[in-house]
């Protein structure tokens, strides 16, 4: 008993150390909070319970905890504690995030924790669609990846082919790594799509990994039972969704206008499409004297990261400003925003957005109606509107949110969604039945979502080569369901030069080969293509890709079906 008490004490002290390190890294916050770090014993106690349950559990652990609870410290501490106790349950860890846009902040956060724990030998890496070459999920002791990259790696779909006539034998390598690892799916509910394909395949992959011995945690504040039923291997649920957040929430039954946004303090605006984000950002930047930033998926990676750093600097210096974003900033953004202005979105999405304020103090939220449900499924928007328009303040009560999620994601609605993806799901099952260890993967397509994606790097190209770092900073992930009617296709029709990476020279320089793309569908054969900056500069500005220009006026409707929406991709 004393020994176990000592171990609990060690784990508790580690959680506190991690929390303090991140507090200092963030700069303490500006919403009336003192700069010094103070231990919240009640919260640390709950984090400790979660960490201990994860450590000893042999089942999949589903962690339902409020936004701002400190889930990251709770699920990371058990992995780091191995090096302190010299008692091992997994040699490596995968942190699986739903979106690319905020991976840098999460990686910096984990690197801060590793350093604070005095475990500098633990390497932290990334492997996902916005890295130049796949590492077969072997980027570090702790590897950040996305749900798409992890699932496609497990299914032997992320096999790097440097030359089209040469295939490399890495097909089952990622599966072997995952089977012996600790895998955390952060905000896993975001794998949902408008055909409910993602949750079904996700459930099969999670159960496969758990049944062969991987330790798996599914972490989220907003997941319904209709999602969890696909974890048919069983799971241990830790439900901490109780109490009320310090957030005042008001429903405004009209569309958002730039004049609604206050320039004082550090505030956040989230809208549903790239086109609306661009328009709103330009108007808000003009009103607020340039103290505004924008983040969405149709921006180059380096510019997204620069915008996020500017927001972080504003938070530390208490200088204020407004961040405008799409679903790309819906999760993972750990900053002290005072006010959120958000468009109506499906209930689970809306709850996540509200979680960006009131994290360390009181906050305010204004929810605005939308004219078009795009890019979401209409029934989800209608059901959410019906639940909140009479009393939006209920969104701050976790018990109400839990019940409301079941109302929105009713059995009837989920059945309707799933029927749209039954054919793709059948194809996935056929693929899985043919997937064999140490063999070439089946010659058929398997998809986690109805959408596909191609990574395009927009960068200065000189003499047929470009630096690796420039290539990665210029990356944009284009997501689509129909390539011929996508923003990617419209962009390709305006440019004359397209390149593909073919190898490296001296490690840092990447060699490029000119490719001919006579039809947009041909682009799908490439893992990544490169377009010279000079060819697209008139279609790109400080707010990212000028979707309203490449659509030739279609952007006036406000729809943005590329770059990533949550129900088939993300924004």
């Amino acid at each position: 008993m004393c020994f176990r008490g000592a171990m609990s004490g060690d784990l508790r002290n580690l959680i506190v150390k991690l929390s303090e390190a991140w507090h200092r890294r963030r700069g303490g916050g500006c919403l009336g909070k003192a700069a010094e770090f103070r231990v919240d014993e009640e919260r640390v106690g709950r984090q400790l319970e979660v960490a201990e349950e994860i450590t000893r559990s042999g089942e999949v652990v589903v962690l339902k905890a409020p936004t701002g609870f400190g889930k990251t410290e709770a699920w990371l501490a058990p992995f780091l504690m191995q090096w302190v106790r010299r008692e091992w349950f997994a040699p490596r860890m995968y942190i699986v995030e739903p979106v690319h846009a905020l991976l840098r902040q999460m990686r910096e956060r984990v690197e801060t924790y590793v350093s604070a724990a005095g475990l500098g030998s633990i390497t932290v890496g990334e492997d996902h669609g916005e890295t130049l070459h796949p590492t077969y999920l072997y980027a570090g002791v702790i590897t950040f990846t996305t749900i798409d990259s992890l699932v496609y790696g497990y299914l032997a779909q992320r096999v790097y082919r440097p030359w089209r006539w040469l295939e490399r034998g890495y097909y089952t390598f990622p599966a072997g790594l995952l089977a012996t690892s600790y895998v955390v799916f952060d905000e896993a509910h975001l794998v949902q799509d408008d055909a409910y394909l993602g949750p079904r395949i996700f459930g099969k992959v999670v159960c496969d990994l758990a049944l062969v011995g991987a330790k798996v945690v599914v972490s989220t504040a907003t997941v319904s039972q209709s999602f969890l039923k696909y974890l048919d291997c069983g799971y241990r649920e830790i439900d901490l969704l109780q109490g009320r957040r310090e957030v005042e929430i008001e429903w405004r039954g009209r569309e958002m206008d730039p004049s609604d946004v206050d320039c004082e303090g550090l505030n956040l605006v989230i809208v549903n499409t790239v086109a609306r984000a661009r328009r709103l950002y330009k108007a808000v930047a003009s009103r607020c004297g340039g103290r505004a930033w924008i983040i969405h998926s149709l921006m180059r990676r380096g510019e997204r990261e620069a915008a996020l750093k500017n927001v972080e600097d504003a938070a530390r210096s208490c200088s204020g400003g407004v961040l405008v974003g799409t679903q790309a900033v819906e999760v993972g953004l750990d900053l002290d925003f005072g006010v959120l202005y958000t468009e109506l979105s499906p209930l689970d999405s809306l709850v996540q957005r509200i979680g960006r304020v009131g994290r360390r103090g009181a906050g305010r939220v204004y929810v605005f109606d939308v004219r078009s449900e795009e890019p979401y499924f209409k029934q989800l928007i209608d059901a959410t509107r019906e639940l909140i328009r009479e009393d939006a303040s209920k969104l701050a009560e976790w018990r109400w949110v839990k019940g409301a999620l079941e109302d929105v994601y009713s059995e009837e609605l989920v059945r309707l969604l799933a029927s749209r993806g039954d054919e793709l799901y059948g194809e996935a099952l056929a693929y899985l039945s043919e997937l064999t260890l140490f063999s070439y993967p089946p010659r058929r397509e398997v998809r986690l979502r109805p959408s596909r994606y191609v990574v395009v790097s927009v960068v200065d190209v000189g003499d047929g080569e470009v630096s690796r770092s420039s290539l990665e900073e210029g990356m944009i992930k284009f997501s689509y369901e129909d390539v011929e009617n996508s923003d990617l296709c419209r962009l390709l029709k305006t440019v004359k030069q397209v390149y593909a990476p073919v190898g490296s020279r001296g490690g840092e320089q990447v060699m490029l080969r000119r490719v001919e793309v006579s039809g947009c569908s041909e682009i799908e054969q490439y893992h990544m293509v490169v377009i010279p900056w000079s060819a697209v500069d008139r279609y790109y500005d400080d707010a990212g890709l000028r979707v309203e220009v490449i659509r030739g006026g279609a952007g006036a409707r406000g729809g943005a079906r590329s770059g990533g929406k949550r129900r088939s991709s993300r924004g």
Side-chain angles (χ1 to χ4, degrees), residues 50 53-64 181-185 188 202-220 223 227-239:
V50 171
E53 182 59 36
I54 290 173
T55 301
R56 62 175 171 258
S57 178
E59 297 179 281
V60 174
V61 173
V62 175
L63 171 59
K64 295 180 177 179
S181 298
Y182 174 39
V183 186
V184 176
F185 293 93
F202 173 81
K204 290 214 167 284
V205 171
V206 166
C207 284
D208 280 357
L209 292 175
L211 291 172
V212 297
K215 183 178 285 290
V216 181
V217 172
V218 177
S219 174
T220 178
V223 66
F227 182 102
L228 293 177
K229 75 177 184 180
Y230 293 111
L231 297 179
D232 54 9
C233 53
Y235 56 88
R236 164 83 170 91
E237 184 174 301
I238 304 175
D239 188 345

Side-chain angles (χ1 to χ4, degrees), residues 94 136-137 150 153-154 156 158 170-179 209:
Y94 292 93
Y136 317 107
L137 300 178
L150 182 133
Y154 175 79
R158 294 184 77 237
Y170 293 106
Y171 301 111
T172 51
F173 185 60
L177 290 173
L178 293 169
L209 292 175

Side-chain angles (χ1 to χ4, degrees), residues 30 263-266 291 293 310-322:
C30 291
C263 298
E264 298 298 319
L266 186 65
R291 296 292 297 171
W293 308 275
N310 286 334
V311 178
E312 291 171 342
D313 290 344
R316 280 191 289 269
S317 65
C318 305
S319 56
V322 179

Side-chain angles (χ1 to χ4, degrees), residues 53-106:
E53 182 59 36
I54 290 173
T55 301
R56 62 175 171 258
S57 178
E59 297 179 281
V60 174
V61 173
V62 175
L63 171 59
K64 295 180 177 179
T67 52
F69 162 79
K71 294 189 291 291
T72 305
E73 293 91 344
W75 48 247
L76 182 63
F79 183 76
L80 298 181
M81 200 66 203
Q82 296 178 113
W83 273 261
V84 178
R85 293 178 178 168
R86 316 301 293 179
E87 297 176 3
W88 313 95
F89 61 78
R92 66 189 62 82
M93 179 179 188
Y94 292 93
I95 300 175
V96 189
E97 295 293 335
V99 295
H100 291 78
L102 303 177
L103 271 175
R104 182 185 64 79
Q105 191 189 55
M106 276 299 295

Side-chain angles (χ1 to χ4, degrees), residues 353-372:
R353 296 180 184 190
I354 294 169
R356 300 312 105 200
V357 298
R359 297 176 76 85
R360 293 164 185 85
R364 291 189 63 83
V365 176
Y366 299 100
V367 183
F368 293 83
D369 208 346
V370 289
R371 182 183 307 174
S372 167

Side-chain angles (χ1 to χ4, degrees), residues 334-352:
D334 189 21
L335 294 169
D336 290 332
F337 292 102
V339 183
L340 167 69
Y341 306 86
T342 178
E343 289 186 331
L344 179 66
S345 61
L347 184 64
D348 48 340
S349 163
L350 192 57
V351 171
Q352 290 292 338

Side-chain angles (χ1 to χ4, degrees), residues 408-511:
V408 170
Y409 287 94
S410 64
E411 184 176 338
E412 180 181 359
L413 179 56
V414 170
R415 190 184 307 115
L416 174 62
L417 290 171
S419 67
R420 296 153 54 90
D422 282 345
E423 182 176 349
L424 287 173
Y425 184 54
E427 292 172 359
L429 292 180
Y431 178 94
L432 284 165
S433 69
E434 297 175 22
L435 191 61
T436 306
L437 189 64
F438 302 132
S439 298
Y440 285 98
R443 298 296 183 182
R444 62 171 70 233
E445 184 181 36
V446 61
R447 287 155 64 183
L448 175 63
R449 311 171 193 262
S451 55
R452 299 175 173 89
Y453 72 85
V454 171
V455 175
V456 176
S457 183
V458 179
V459 65
D460 287 322
V461 175
D463 298 324
E465 63 180 43
V466 66
S467 70
R468 180 185 299 267
S469 57
S470 296
L471 205 57
E472 293 193 344
E473 288 181 359
M475 287 182 177
I476 303 172
K477 181 179 177 181
F478 283 85
S479 183
Y480 53 84
E481 293 182 17
D482 176 6
V483 68
E484 296 294 339
N485 293 304
S486 68
D487 287 334
L488 172 60
C489 187
R490 296 184 187 104
L491 180 62
L492 289 173
K493 288 177 179 178
T494 69
V495 302
K496 305 300 182 184
Q497 295 173 290
V498 179
Y499 297 85
V502 293
S504 61
R505 180 172 60 82
E508 174 60 15
Q509 292 300 112
V510 177
M511 311 302 292

